[in-house]
Amino acid sequence: MNTRSPTLLARLERHAAVRQVSVALQDSLARLGGQLGSLIPAMMLGYVLIVWPLAFGGGEYSPLELQMGWMAPLPADAGERSPLKMIAYPLLFMLALVCSLSTGSYRRLPIDNLGMAAAAVILVLAVASAAWSLFPKLTLMRGVLLCIITTTLILAVYSAHSFHVMMRALLVVMIAVTVLNLISVLTQPAGPIGHTGIFPQKNVFGWVSGVLLFVGLYHVTFGGLLQRCIAVMMIAAAPLFLVLSQSKTSLGLAILAPTIGLVLLYAARRMRLSPALLVAVGVGLATLIFFIGAGSGAWTFKSLNASLLGDATLTGRTDLWEFATRLIDRQPWLGHGYEAIWGTGYDGIPYRETLGFARVSPTGHNGYIDMLLHLGLLGFALKTAFLIAALSAAGRLAQVDGRLGWLTLTIFAFILMHNNLESDIFISSNPLWMLMVLFFAVAIRSSSAAR
């Protein structure tokens, strides 16, 4: 027994030493994963707002195609994307997955949350819709891309050790976007319909300018002198960009969204009313008023557009929507397949069945209609559930952190309204969708931690 005791003691000491090293290594990896998780959202938005437009800018269609519509020949690979444009997303996904595993944050994912569950089902449905899509390969590719981007941001938020670092990193990206666009505005001439900045299209420059304004307003309310000065610079540059882009939609929404965000913030913090309830009531009342007026002959959709916005067709969008409505009636329940309608070239339904801009339009310019086209009534119902959950989570966040809650509600309000005239929500590689997922995950994690 005496001869064995030293050996046993030595083994126990070695085992304890190995365990101590293992624990130290795990702690180091967890800290590193938390730090990287805080930076991944900024990496993704930096790629899509800076690297992509500078390296691959120009869009999928030439200016001739956009101006001439059906008169111009479509490229043979219309709707396809260069693998180089997409390679960053799988790399960021792998990094987010490693961060999640090293920090153990995957155990905290709120899979029982309504919004998270609805988003997960939509992701599965988007990929599965390749089975009935006219373009299975395209649908599968874009469905998988949507899954990768959405999952990456959620994993990153739950792995992040500090939202303060995350917001600082996002600020750095927005500063770079501001400076690069300022240089572009000062050195490059405007296009025939507005300045595009460093982006391929003026409407993109418009909504990016709106986001710059919101981020600047958020950061000017706290921090050191340098941070506040930079925020003031962004606040001053954003209106200039909005005017130069001649994006009337983004200009109007950039004014409306912060105001709506403040109203929702006040209701959530002072009155304990959910933003989801207020938005639902607002949308319901607006719909009721429209149908009452239309039924009485006071107005039509186009006459209302002409009176309020000065353009009965909303620059041709109503023609797209009328065509989309006919397609929705053909397959109302599951749709035609995720992103399998617009921008699909000679073999696509728009090219074969309609004329004009619809033949080359990359989206239906309405994210709600596009969801009905892509995934039918089932997808639309799930999208509605997600939006309700997102607004509810933003309301809970507002009760915990007023500044971050206001920014989240403002961005949500902007995207929800912008989605009426463009397609943003649940659209693969759309930066506004990235922002919505990012702040949705932030809102859920922050409010859950507070409870």
Side-chain angles (χ1 to χ4, degrees), residues 301 314 317-329 331-332 334-337 339 341-342 363-377 379-380 383-384 416 418-425 427:
F301 183 63
L314 300 176
R317 285 176 173 85
T318 55
D319 297 331
L320 286 176
W321 300 341
E322 289 173 2
F323 175 64
T325 301
R326 297 198 299 271
L327 296 183
I328 291 169
D329 290 338
Q331 298 192 49
L334 293 176
H336 294 267
E339 295 195 14
I341 296 295
W342 308 111
T363 69
H365 289 277
N366 184 301
Y368 305 105
I369 291 176
D370 273 353
M371 178 56 77
L372 288 167
L373 268 177
H374 295 166
L375 301 176
L377 289 169
F380 187 82
K383 179 176 181 176
T384 302
L416 288 172
H418 194 267
N419 198 55
N420 282 297
L421 296 174
E422 303 292 341
S423 293
D424 306 310
I425 303 174
I427 299 297

Side-chain angles (χ1 to χ4, degrees), residues 10-26:
R11 288 179 180 177
L12 290 174
E13 289 176 348
R14 285 197 299 270
H15 178 72
V18 170
R19 185 175 181 180
Q20 186 176 4
V21 171
S22 176
V23 170
L25 180 60
Q26 289 178 3

Side-chain angles (χ1 to χ4, degrees), residues 60-78 345-346 351 359-360:
E60 295 185 24
Y61 301 102
S62 70
L64 175 64
E65 291 164 329
L66 293 176
Q67 293 298 321
M68 301 296 289
W70 65 273
M71 294 175 62
L74 286 174
D77 62 344
Y346 289 118
Y351 195 89
R359 284 189 164 187
V360 295

